[in-house]
Amino acid sequence: MIESNTELTLVPKAPTPAPARGPASVRAAAAARPAGAMAAASPASSPASPAGSTAGSPAATPARDTPVTRRHAWRLEFTGTGADYFRVWIVNTLLTLATLGVYSAWAKRRKARWFARHTLLAGEPFDFHGDPRRILVGRVLALALLLVCVHAFDWSLAAGVAALAALYVLGPMLFAGAQRFKLGNLSWRGLRFGFQPVAVPAYASCLPLLVAWTLVAFLVSLGPALGPWVSGFIGLTAALLIPIAHGRLRQFQHRHARYGALAFNFHLPVEAFYGLYLRVGGALIAAGVVTALMGAGVSLGWKLAAGAPPEGLRTALPLVAVVVAWACAWPIYIARLQQVVWSNTRLAGGIEFASDVSGVALLKTVLGQGLLTVLTLGLYWPFLAVRVAKLRIEGMSVMTDAPVGGIVVQAPPRRGPGPARGPVADGTGDTFGLDVGW
């Protein structure tokens, strides 16, 4: 990787006459995260319509030539296959088991690099450069912090309060560090992305999620002892807080992200996030009701045919209902989330994003290939993961005023310890659910 100490600039090449409109005027290509990478979204594959035009007749032509502005749409492309990823996945899984989890850091880097290198934008692949040794250190410290937070209240009330206060103090730092590590190790065309957090927005953005996380934890652990009214109030408060907390985190993620010196920006549509969670809640309820009715029918049929159903069946049916409800709601959630997030994200230089990922296609994939994954005891999982990634990545488009090949971007100056720092935060953010991904 060649780095430059020149401030990043966005410089279009000298304008050229607009080509005749046709299918060759717009290329599709790909980019992402992974966050992995970027998680995905985008408009129709047809070329964007011109943003401006000149009058058609000579009489209407102005005395001075009017430039023609055209929007270029670049659809992301994913070239990975299930068979190829299966080889990566099976080696990662076996080595992680053989080393009692130590290899998981190398497995994470290998997986992130594989998905990045198979994601293309304008024919150019992304790449991931994370150091697995630093990821391993982060995961060890994250595990230690998790154990302290889980068992602190068992030791004493003072220890529990101290652990909770530490999480509130460290949580925003960990989240910001996780984003800095992931984006700082992601590159396209040899230029790395980046993340430049500011302390006050970091705490203001993470606080709602930490409060919601605390309320849910208290509700789960102390629910029966709190009584129905207190439990209901806590549950309602958490439910109302989670959508805005999620939106604030997304805003913080995108507003402080960079591609070189080009800054991302994000407009927070509060009503869209609440609508998203209402939609997901409705899907969960509907799927849960249908699954519960089916389970009740199975239980009743078993009882009529062979007496009382076994204890194992009575335990398994609720779990199956939860899994099926989640499998039905998750595709709807992720498709709508990508549409909301990327349609409100901009990159300096007139670069916009859009998503047309299909929730129906995701739902069919999750249900159909998810069933194959269950029947093969998990061996079909890599094929499912690749199919979902392809739908999400190729559902994203990047729109620019100039062709991507006509934009010159130079690397920004390096500041501080460099983008590869922050793996401790990366592992801890994953552990505590602070990594909401791109």
XYZ file of all heavy atoms in Angstrom, residues 21-60:
240
model
N -26.674 8.632 -25.423
C -27.311 7.860 -24.367
C -27.541 6.428 -24.833
O -28.066 6.190 -25.920
C -28.637 8.493 -23.996
C -29.296 7.822 -22.814
C -30.408 8.659 -22.288
N -31.029 8.037 -21.148
C -31.923 8.627 -20.395
N -32.288 9.855 -20.636
N -32.459 7.997 -19.374
N -27.148 5.514 -24.027
C -27.299 4.119 -24.398
C -26.936 3.227 -23.246
O -26.503 3.688 -22.196
N -27.067 1.954 -23.407
C -26.806 1.044 -22.289
C -25.376 1.071 -21.824
O -25.076 0.687 -20.719
C -27.188 -0.333 -22.858
C -27.128 -0.163 -24.346
C -27.499 1.249 -24.618
N -24.443 1.534 -22.687
C -23.046 1.549 -22.286
C -22.679 2.768 -21.478
O -21.557 2.898 -21.030
C -22.153 1.482 -23.520
N -23.638 3.691 -21.286
C -23.307 4.935 -20.587
C -23.156 4.752 -19.103
O -22.654 5.628 -18.433
C -24.377 5.986 -20.877
O -25.607 5.557 -20.365
N -23.631 3.661 -18.581
C -23.543 3.439 -17.129
C -23.000 2.050 -16.871
O -23.462 1.099 -17.464
C -24.916 3.581 -16.464
C -24.812 3.240 -14.994
C -25.421 4.998 -16.631
N -22.010 1.944 -16.030
C -21.479 0.649 -15.615
C -22.000 0.287 -14.255
O -22.244 1.143 -13.446
C -19.957 0.696 -15.490
C -19.217 0.868 -16.763
C -17.741 0.730 -16.491
N -17.469 -0.564 -15.907
C -16.260 -0.935 -15.569
N -15.251 -0.146 -15.716
N -16.076 -2.116 -15.027
N -22.056 -0.989 -14.008
C -22.399 -1.429 -12.673
C -21.138 -1.937 -12.022
O -20.294 -2.482 -12.661
C -23.428 -2.529 -12.738
N -21.020 -1.753 -10.761
C -19.915 -2.326 -10.038
C -20.201 -2.340 -8.585
O -21.309 -2.106 -8.222
C -18.660 -1.573 -10.358
N -19.147 -2.561 -7.746
C -19.488 -2.933 -6.416
C -18.601 -2.448 -5.337
O -17.449 -2.268 -5.524
C -19.507 -4.432 -6.362
N -19.157 -2.277 -4.138
C -18.397 -1.860 -2.995
C -19.113 -2.288 -1.768
O -20.287 -2.448 -1.778
C -18.232 -0.367 -3.014
N -18.406 -2.353 -0.535
C -19.172 -2.730 0.593
C -18.569 -2.557 1.940
O -17.458 -2.384 2.092
C -19.474 -4.183 0.487
N -19.038 -3.171 2.945
C -18.440 -3.295 4.118
C -18.681 -4.486 4.701
O -19.474 -4.850 4.852
C -18.858 -2.488 5.106
C -19.529 -2.233 6.424
C -20.438 -1.457 6.969
N -21.309 -1.743 6.381
C -21.506 -2.236 6.291
N -21.699 -2.597 6.667
N -22.064 -2.511 6.312
N -18.665 -4.649 4.724
C -18.404 -5.632 5.495
C -18.562 -5.310 6.611
O -18.890 -4.363 6.971
C -17.519 -5.692 5.752
C -17.302 -4.545 5.332
C -18.108 -4.200 4.338
N -19.882 -4.738 6.536
C -19.142 -4.409 8.195
C -19.595 -4.846 8.519
O -20.583 -4.214 8.513
C -19.488 -3.870 8.311
N -19.435 -5.304 7.630
C -18.563 -5.377 7.588
C -18.445 -4.537 7.006
O -20.397 -4.106 7.180
N -17.852 -4.717 6.330
C -17.971 -4.120 5.264
C -19.149 -3.411 5.163
O -20.052 -3.491 5.964
C -18.115 -5.101 4.751
N -19.371 -2.612 3.745
C -20.604 -1.904 3.947
C -21.746 -2.873 3.708
O -21.710 -3.667 2.820
C -20.750 -0.752 3.031
C -19.600 0.244 3.118
S -19.838 1.628 2.069
C -18.342 2.442 2.179
N -22.618 -2.737 4.385
C -23.752 -3.587 4.262
C -24.614 -3.362 3.089
O -24.891 -3.482 2.510
C -24.652 -3.481 5.331
N -25.250 -2.694 2.434
C -25.577 -2.733 1.058
C -26.878 -2.069 0.712
O -27.746 -1.944 1.487
C -25.726 -4.162 0.665
N -27.042 -1.721 -0.628
C -28.309 -1.162 -0.997
C -28.226 -0.469 -2.314
O -27.226 0.102 -2.628
C -28.736 -0.183 0.037
N -29.326 -0.384 -3.159
C -29.179 0.452 -4.309
C -30.297 0.457 -5.307
O -31.156 -0.368 -5.279
C -27.898 0.064 -4.969
O -27.590 0.991 -5.915
N -30.276 1.456 -6.231
C -31.374 1.705 -7.117
C -31.409 0.779 -8.285
O -30.717 -0.200 -8.368
C -31.122 3.127 -7.578
C -29.670 3.252 -7.563
C -29.180 2.347 -6.479
N -32.266 1.160 -9.257
C -32.433 0.342 -10.429
C -31.157 0.330 -11.231
O -30.355 1.224 -11.188
C -33.576 0.881 -11.275
N -30.989 -0.705 -12.044
C -29.753 -0.837 -12.786
C -29.728 0.035 -14.014
O -28.721 0.141 -14.680
C -29.572 -2.301 -13.205
O -30.664 -2.731 -13.967
N -30.825 0.682 -14.365
C -30.836 1.541 -15.534
C -30.092 2.823 -15.244
O -29.997 3.266 -14.106
C -32.271 1.873 -15.930
O -32.921 2.536 -14.876
N -29.518 3.492 -16.286
C -28.749 4.714 -16.063
C -29.609 5.801 -15.459
O -30.788 5.926 -15.744
C -28.271 5.094 -17.475
C -28.380 3.832 -18.271
C -29.504 3.057 -17.667
N -28.971 6.625 -14.617
C -29.689 7.745 -14.015
C -29.999 8.766 -15.095
O -29.226 8.989 -16.019
C -28.839 8.368 -12.910
N -31.139 9.413 -14.968
C -31.531 10.399 -15.958
C -30.685 11.643 -15.811
O -30.191 11.960 -14.742
C -33.000 10.763 -15.784
O -33.207 11.282 -14.499
N -30.494 12.432 -16.896
C -29.662 13.634 -16.811
C -30.237 14.617 -15.812
O -31.438 14.817 -15.730
C -29.696 14.195 -18.240
C -30.095 13.030 -19.105
C -30.973 12.168 -18.231
N -29.348 15.269 -15.079
C -29.785 16.271 -14.118
C -30.086 17.582 -14.807
O -30.736 18.453 -14.249
C -28.716 16.478 -13.044
N -29.616 17.767 -16.008
C -29.892 18.990 -16.739
C -29.772 18.726 -18.213
O -29.214 17.752 -18.643
N -30.307 19.571 -19.083
C -30.232 19.383 -20.520
C -30.344 20.720 -21.202
O -30.733 21.724 -20.626
C -31.343 18.442 -20.992
O -32.602 19.005 -20.695
N -30.003 20.735 -22.477
C -30.120 21.957 -23.254
C -31.345 21.890 -24.118
O -31.864 20.826 -24.418
C -28.880 22.149 -24.138
O -28.741 20.986 -24.949
C -27.633 22.337 -23.303
N -31.806 23.030 -24.530
C -33.012 23.084 -25.340
C -32.767 22.402 -26.665
O -31.677 22.399 -27.198
C -33.424 24.534 -25.555
N -33.805 21.825 -27.235
C -33.638 21.027 -28.422
C -33.572 21.846 -29.695
O -32.854 21.514 -30.618
N -34.313 22.933 -29.865
C -34.378 23.661 -31.125
C -33.372 24.787 -31.141
O -33.021 25.350 -30.117
C -35.787 24.231 -31.320
O -36.078 25.134 -30.294
N -32.881 25.156 -32.340
C -31.913 26.253 -32.418
C -32.467 27.541 -31.864
O -31.743 28.330 -31.272
C -31.632 26.353 -33.924
C -31.964 24.985 -34.468
C -33.087 24.493 -33.625
N -33.768 27.798 -32.063
C -34.345 29.061 -31.581
C -34.305 29.151 -30.076
O -34.236 30.223 -29.510
C -35.773 29.187 -32.084
N -34.376 27.959 -29.405
C -34.411 27.968 -27.950
C -33.026 27.890 -27.349
O -32.861 27.936 -26.145
C -35.251 26.805 -27.434
